[in-house]
Amino acid sequence: MKISPHWLRDFVDLPVDYLRLADELTLAGVAVEGISGEGEATVYEMEITTNRPDAMNHYGVAREVSALYDLPLRLIEPKLPPSQGKSDVTIDIQEPELCPRFTAREIRNVTIKPSPPHIVGRLQLLDQRPISNAVDATNYVLWESGKPTHVFDLDLLEGRGLVIRRAQVGESLRTLDGVERTLSTEDLVVADAKKPVGLAGVMGGFDTMITARTKNILIESAWWDPVTVRRMSKRHGIHTDASHRFERGADFESTVASTNRVAELILSSCGESGGTLIGDVIDVIARKLDLAPVELDLREVQRILGEKLSTLEISRILTRLGFTMLPGSEDTYLVHIPSWRLDIEREIDIIEELARLHGYDKFPNTLPAYSGEVRDLPDAHKDARLRSSLLALGYNEAISLTFISKEDARRFSTAAELDLANPLSDEASVIRTSMVPSMLNMLAYNLNRGSDNVRLFESGTVFEASSGADSMPLEMKRISIGATGSVDAEVVRGLAPGAAARPFSFFDLKGDIESLLAPFSHWTLYYDAQTADYYHPGRSARAVLDGATVAQFGQIHPDVAAARKLRQDVLVAEIYLDRLYQHDLRQVRYEALPRFPAVERDFSFVFDDGVEFEKIHQSVTALGIAELRSFVPVEIFRGEKVGADKYSILMRAKLQSSERTLRDDEVAQWAGQIAKALEALGGVQRA
């Protein structure tokens, strides 16, 4: 939001230069993000939080300056000529809960022409396009005092009256942007005797807008229910300066003042050539809005802030901000909230106002008392090891919502889900029971925005409902990994530099999983194909560490990928940290390289397809040959010469002693043991 510091001088005498003012406003919580221009053309780019619509204008910022420097604030007091006659315009509020107040004023014999130079200059400084003196007056008041207003061509209103009602079935409205919009009964409209002429709090109607032919004007300023405005703005896809403020809560008491201010600007721009004020202001209050006073305990102020502020200082700050303090019982005051501060509801809100205007930098730096010691969480070193390993493997850490849809909870997990009492949407209605849906959403997000090579990981918690009405839900730590795209061959071991890139495959992911599990101590680790049905059969595996499943990983099933509109192969993994962390990290030990030569023996066997190499490896390892350093597959062959449902595999055993050179008869004996173990699995040795 743009604010002109030169404009602020209309309301308060600035005691500092614009650069220092920007710094001190930022320290007081009204942030100046950037400064452009110089002199009278200086413009602040401000970041006003959504709970402070009162500061989204020059008068509101000037009020902050007044409190910050303890300076008087000049009021906006419209000066209007005497009115003539009586206006016959009527206002009918049929929805008092949604529009408790509606104010209007009639002006006749208006001359529509360009605005005076000082109005045009200030609007252009804020990137606002000048239109005409009548429309510019409403925009000027919006940026001056923050109150959205609207002007109608009175001669285009049928029935010379306005009705605030819900839209009827089948009604439509062409808004000021020229778009014909179909209305629903959930929409609140400003209507004349026959048709809607404005979408309440969002945008006016095209058919009653001010043109060069306009002679008679009706000015309106109202208070609209923020929730209703927000829903209409979202439903019709319109976000305007007016809706931005009404959504956050406007000033209920400002409708008359803003109407008179618009009238003053229009009449002054017409000069002596035209413009007659008709009757008194029309102010219809269907329901009164009063903010409840808040009790302020000075002892609580000192407890929260850690420093005692004098009653005089507290009174000064609150009075400058528009609050009223009345003494109560001992050390307490009853603070009445101004109509523009809808964000103030509790005592702590007032204490925050005192802290930021007194100056956060004026409080002494103190540390809270602490008699304990800093301790790492039990699994902190394991978390750090996995995180550093994943970063080294080329993955980037990501964070997603803890909520998923009920459909995803049932598709990717068998755990009982926990429904949210007040979900954000149907897509986030339960607490996640698996990390996989969130990872797929993040991969899809990147793919849909042109990032084809993605490596992500997320560490988090999944939840499962436990039995019993009073039982707490179960929480389990997990890490999810996601990858898609290609692998640069130059960084893959064993491939020549300059070779073409290839797709990231299941075996790349399996290698990463092996790297992550390797630091954890264990007796046995094997992989099999018993994975969930959302994985691709034949391109997925689970890791079993000492009899417990610690990970599932692989390519997502094509049907799941198609349903989620993933346009290329995606691989994911889920590591069950609550099981993995039952194992300690290995102690790193070093030993000298063997001085004696290794002996290699090859074994060529034919097996049924049902015999996996993991089973072969376990059978050979179970022989307990201490000198067996490795037993790995070299090549696999399938074809007619081998037979249907069979495969031929060449395996290589590496035997080595760290104490002596191995004898031929020893090697032959061990080779025979290995061959018998392979035959026991149904293998047939090839000649």
Side-chain angles (χ1 to χ4, degrees), residues 2 522 592:
K2 297 181 182 297
H522 59 271

Side-chain angles (χ1 to χ4, degrees), residues 72-113:
L73 180 69
R74 288 187 282 274
L75 301 177
I76 300 176
E77 297 177 320
K79 295 179 176 59
L80 295 173
S83 61
Q84 298 182 13
K86 183 179 180 181
S87 175
D88 59 353
V89 173
T90 60
I91 305 296
D92 180 14
I93 300 178
Q94 296 183 2
E95 296 290 340
E97 292 299 318
L98 307 182
C99 177
R101 188 171 192 172
F102 195 100
T103 304
R105 186 134 219 180
E106 180 182 350
I107 305 178
R108 294 180 185 173
N109 302 319
V110 172
T111 302
I112 301 300
K113 61 181 181 178

Side-chain angles (χ1 to χ4, degrees), residues 401-410 415-434 437-438 463:
L401 283 176
T402 316
F403 312 130
I404 59 175
S405 67
K406 188 179 291 290
E407 180 183 358
D408 280 346
R410 295 173 178 175
E417 69 267 13
L418 290 162
D419 293 326
L420 295 174
N422 186 23
L424 299 173
S425 65
D426 289 340
E427 289 74 28
S429 58
V430 301
I431 304 179
R432 65 185 174 198
T433 54
S434 169
S438 300
F463 302 84

Side-chain angles (χ1 to χ4, degrees), residues 664-683:
D664 289 343
D665 60 329
E666 291 177 313
V667 174
Q669 179 184 355
W670 293 329
Q673 293 177 9
I674 293 173
K676 287 182 180 180
L678 298 178
E679 290 171 354
L681 294 174

Side-chain angles (χ1 to χ4, degrees), residues 4 66 73 110 135 217 259 263 278 435 472 482 501 597:
S4 164
S66 168
L73 180 69
V110 172
V135 177
I217 287 176
T259 301
I278 304 299
M435 302 279 287
M472 294 296 292

Side-chain angles (χ1 to χ4, degrees), residues 125-364:
L125 199 61
L126 306 180
D127 295 335
Q128 299 293 303
R129 179 175 62 89
I131 299 174
S132 66
N133 56 340
V135 177
D136 293 348
T138 63
N139 290 333
Y140 189 91
V141 169
L142 174 72
W143 290 103
E144 180 184 63
S145 62
K147 184 65 177 69
T149 56
H150 185 66
V151 284
F152 296 96
D153 187 325
L154 185 56
D155 296 328
L156 299 178
L157 293 176
E158 300 190 50
R160 292 189 64 79
L162 294 176
V163 181
I164 292 81
R165 60 173 173 83
R166 289 190 182 273
Q168 299 171 1
V169 177
E171 283 189 318
S172 63
L173 170 67
R174 184 163 59 148
T175 48
L176 285 172
D177 55 4
V179 177
E180 190 77 23
R181 303 184 186 276
T182 301
L183 305 178
S184 74
T185 55
E186 296 181 1
D187 292 321
L188 185 67
V189 298
V190 178
D192 61 15
K194 293 187 177 180
K195 63 184 183 303
V197 294
L199 201 58
V202 180
M203 186 177 287
F206 186 89
D207 297 333
T208 56
M209 70 177 180
I210 303 299
T211 66
R213 298 186 299 274
T214 298
K215 292 298 181 184
N216 301 316
I217 287 176
L218 183 67
I219 306 167
E220 67 100 339
S221 179
W223 193 95
W224 308 106
D225 175 57
V227 175
T228 302
V229 174
R230 188 181 306 117
R231 289 175 177 171
M232 287 195 299
S233 178
K234 184 177 181 180
R235 184 162 50 249
H236 292 284
I238 313 174
H239 185 80
T240 62
D241 289 329
S243 68
H244 186 80
R245 288 156 176 79
F246 281 128
E247 287 175 11
R248 289 155 176 79
D251 181 4
F252 182 83
E253 300 294 342
S254 68
T255 58
V256 173
S258 57
T259 301
N260 288 337
R261 179 61 171 152
V262 172
E264 178 189 32
L265 293 174
I266 293 175
L267 292 172
S268 63
S269 67
C270 292
E272 299 179 357
S273 60
T276 302
L277 195 65
I278 304 299
D280 295 329
V281 64
I282 306 167
D283 185 26
V284 179
I285 302 177
R287 179 170 59 91
K288 189 70 175 175
L289 291 185
D290 289 319
L291 299 179
V294 174
E295 188 176 74
L296 179 66
D297 190 330
L298 301 187
R299 292 164 296 188
E300 188 69 4
V301 174
Q302 181 176 357
R303 188 187 72 83
I304 295 293
L305 300 184
E307 181 178 331
K308 185 175 182 179
L309 299 184
S310 67
T311 305
L312 184 63
E313 172 73 353
I314 293 173
S315 176
R316 181 194 69 78
I317 293 174
L318 294 181
T319 302
R320 290 296 186 194
L321 290 176
F323 296 82
T324 303
M325 286 181 60
L326 297 177
S329 57
E330 182 181 0
D331 289 331
T332 63
Y333 286 84
L334 200 62
V335 179
H336 289 267
I337 314 300
S339 59
W340 57 84
R341 291 304 301 269
L342 301 182
D343 59 310
I344 304 297
E345 298 177 347
R346 303 172 298 165
E347 181 182 47
I348 191 65
D349 298 329
I350 298 178
I351 295 175
E352 181 183 359
E353 295 297 295
L354 297 174
R356 69 181 187 85
L357 270 305
H358 175 72
Y360 292 119
D361 55 329
K362 295 179 182 178
F363 293 100

